[in-house]
Amino acid sequence: MFFELNEEQLAVQAAAREFAQKELKPGVIERDAKGLYPKEEVRKMAELGFMGMMASPEYGGGGMDTLSYVLAMEEISKVDSSCSVIMSVNNSLVCWGLETYGTEEQKAKYLPRLASGEWIGAFCLSEPEAGSDATSQRTTAVDMGDHYLLNGTKNWITNGGTSRLHLVIAQTHPEAGHRGINAFIVETDWNGVAIGAKEDKLGIRASDTHTIMYTDVKVPKENRIGDDGFGFKFAMKTLNGGRIGIAAQALGIAGGAYELALEYSKQREAFGKPISKHQAIAFKLADMATEIEAAKLMVYRSAWLKDQGMDYDTASAMAKLYASEVAMRHTVEAVQIHGGYGYVKEYHVERLMRDAKITQIYEGTSEIQRIVISRAILQGQLYLPIFGGALEQKA
């Protein structure tokens, strides 16, 4: 298979790389150390169209393909994963979920604000007792006739403190299990919406992660997404696409660490020559480059499948699983190549190592990805990563 980026995709990639290197890199260490939300940087991303890349131009979005979005995510993640996760949630969870499954009235009312970056969105699924087990929703939305009454708590919510709109998953018919779950559009200035303290995190420290409390929030009937009971399916379908964004983030983190390690290894000398000339380091670089390239092909291909309207559920799970583990493995190697310098903030790689860990956890842990992949295999479909299809397994 021959694969080549088109002119528009190359332009997006170049613009994202320039923005990341010139606008994000100068202050990224301070933002990480102090946990400072990148308000001005997010505003600039919005001006460049990065907050609504895949949304239709009809609603103020960029109308770009998934691969262009992945390329931008990758370049921004090489430098600042806090900015890239803010961008990822707004693009692939909130804007995409709303445009794909929302009514025309919902899209006309909310998408232009979200796609332009005027509003930031949040995706509210996880709960204290319902993380990987998303069927165990305890947040409730009681049907009151002309509105729903929303009560419950959501945690680990990215963009929780700055968002103006939440997509909230809640249980309406407990007796129906996951078929009784609904999804709702909630504006954060409505009565009963309360934002908890910002989490003090290991990585992606500049992004705002909060617990959200809903107490007797009145949600109009017209703010339910899809038919009654569609909420769980909405969440799973939206997360399948969101995993491509996080896979791209992991790919960027790994790539950023590799580029820094390569540059450092050419400059740092030991025993009379650059350490890149020592086989111990050269082999580390070779392994990093090889695995990052493999991850790149998986991530790009999952985006391509989505753009072609083909099934991408297993591909996105594989891409996120592999890219996140490559990111963790090779950010550690980047620190090792830097030696003592890698252990201090000035050289960036220790931050990338801390940021890498979350890619194995959010939007489906590595264990959940293995469940998704193994289930597809055991249901009689063998994923073919090169030729793009499924083959019936024969007894």
Side-chain angles (χ1 to χ4, degrees):
M1 182 190 296
F2 181 74
F3 184 75
E4 185 176 16
L5 300 177
N6 62 37
E7 289 186 7
E8 181 180 6
Q9 291 162 344
L10 288 169
V12 168
Q13 184 183 50
R17 184 173 183 85
E18 181 179 17
F19 173 75
Q21 296 295 325
K22 291 185 177 180
E23 299 289 343
L24 297 182
K25 194 169 185 177
V28 67
I29 293 175
E30 181 183 15
R31 290 193 298 273
D32 170 77
K34 297 180 179 179
L36 300 175
Y37 180 78
K39 182 177 180 180
E40 182 62 17
E41 288 75 17
V42 171
R43 184 190 67 78
K44 291 179 180 179
M45 286 199 295
E47 286 182 352
L48 290 170
F50 289 142
M51 300 305 290
M53 294 182 70
M54 296 178 290
S56 170
E58 177 184 356
Y59 304 110
M64 298 182 190
D65 59 13
T66 311
L67 184 53
S68 294
Y69 161 65
V70 160
L71 292 167
M73 276 290 298
E74 181 185 358
E75 293 300 330
I76 289 172
S77 300
K78 287 179 179 180
V79 174
D80 192 337
S81 300
S82 293
C83 282
S84 69
V85 74
I86 294 166
M87 172 182 161
S88 176
V89 169
N90 203 67
N91 272 278
S92 58
L93 297 183
V94 179
C95 285
W96 187 86
L98 187 57
E99 182 167 6
T100 304
Y101 298 108
T103 64
E104 284 304 318
E105 292 76 17
Q106 290 168 348
K107 290 186 281 190
K109 182 176 181 179
Y110 294 115
L111 261 181
R113 291 172 172 176
L114 291 163
S116 67
E118 177 189 349
W119 282 16
I120 301 297
F123 189 80
C124 302
L125 173 64
S126 293
E127 299 182 1
E129 301 299 326
S132 294
D133 182 10
T135 62
S136 300
Q137 295 291 301
R138 295 191 179 182
T139 296
T140 60
V142 178
D143 190 340
M144 305 298 289
D146 63 342
H147 67 276
Y148 290 91
L149 202 60
L150 184 68
N151 283 278
T153 300
K154 298 291 183 178
N155 66 345
W156 316 124
I157 304 304
T158 300
N159 299 341
T162 53
S163 50
R164 294 287 304 277
L165 178 145
H166 295 169
L167 297 185
V168 183
I169 312 301
Q171 182 64 262
T172 301
H173 310 287
E175 71 283 356
H178 73 274
R179 293 183 177 85
I181 294 172
N182 279 302
F184 302 94
I185 302 167
V186 176
E187 297 181 32
T188 58
D189 60 358
W190 289 351
N191 290 335
V193 179
I195 313 299
K198 181 180 177 180
E199 301 289 353
D200 188 8
K201 307 187 298 292
L202 171 73
I204 56 167
R205 290 178 48 79
S207 70
D208 58 321
T209 306
H210 294 256
T211 294
I212 314 293
M213 288 77 72
Y214 303 99
T215 305
D216 291 338
V217 180
K218 292 183 177 180
V219 182
K221 275 289 182 69
E222 60 267 24
N223 276 39
R224 187 187 72 200
I225 298 176
D227 295 333
D228 191 18
F230 180 66
F232 182 73
K233 186 175 287 187
F234 167 81
M236 295 302 102
K237 287 181 176 291
T238 303
L239 284 172
N240 283 337
R243 285 167 183 157
I244 298 174
I246 300 305
Q249 181 185 49
L251 176 63
I253 292 170
Y258 167 73
E259 290 176 7
L260 289 167
L262 177 60
E263 180 182 4
Y264 179 83
S265 71
K266 291 178 177 179
Q267 297 171 354
R268 173 70 170 176
E269 291 194 359
F271 304 104
K273 60 184 177 181
I275 62 172
S276 60
K277 299 293 185 181
H278 293 281
Q279 191 177 77
I281 300 302
F283 278 16
K284 287 183 186 294
L285 293 169
D287 288 343
M288 292 171 79
T290 300
E291 293 195 11
I292 290 169
E293 187 67 14
K296 181 178 295 187
L297 291 171
M298 294 180 75
V299 176
Y300 286 14
R301 189 171 181 281
S302 65
W304 178 84
L305 286 170
K306 187 171 184 287
D307 288 333
Q308 301 307 307
M310 299 170 69
D311 179 65
Y312 59 89
D313 293 1
T314 309
S316 65
M318 286 182 164
K320 182 186 180 295
L321 171 64
Y322 187 70
S324 65
E325 300 208 343
V326 166
M328 192 71 250
R329 187 157 54 245
H330 293 310
T331 52
V332 171
E333 287 288 50
V335 171
Q336 189 71 17
I337 289 171
H338 279 74
Y341 292 102
Y343 211 65
V344 296
K345 295 183 183 298
E346 180 184 354
Y347 286 77
H348 296 284
V349 288
E350 64 84 30
R351 184 187 74 257
L352 291 172
M353 183 179 71
R354 289 186 285 105
D355 288 348
K357 185 58 194 175
I358 192 60
T359 66
Q360 295 178 307
I361 298 172
Y362 58 14
E363 293 197 34
T365 63
S366 292
E367 291 74 18
I368 290 294
Q369 305 314 316
R370 289 184 170 95
I371 289 173
V372 171
I373 297 162
S374 61
R375 185 176 294 158
I377 295 169
L378 296 174
Q379 286 176 347
Q381 293 183 328
L382 178 63
Y383 180 72
L384 299 178
I386 297 177
F387 299 106
L391 186 67
E392 290 281 329
Q393 291 193 81
K394 300 183 186 295

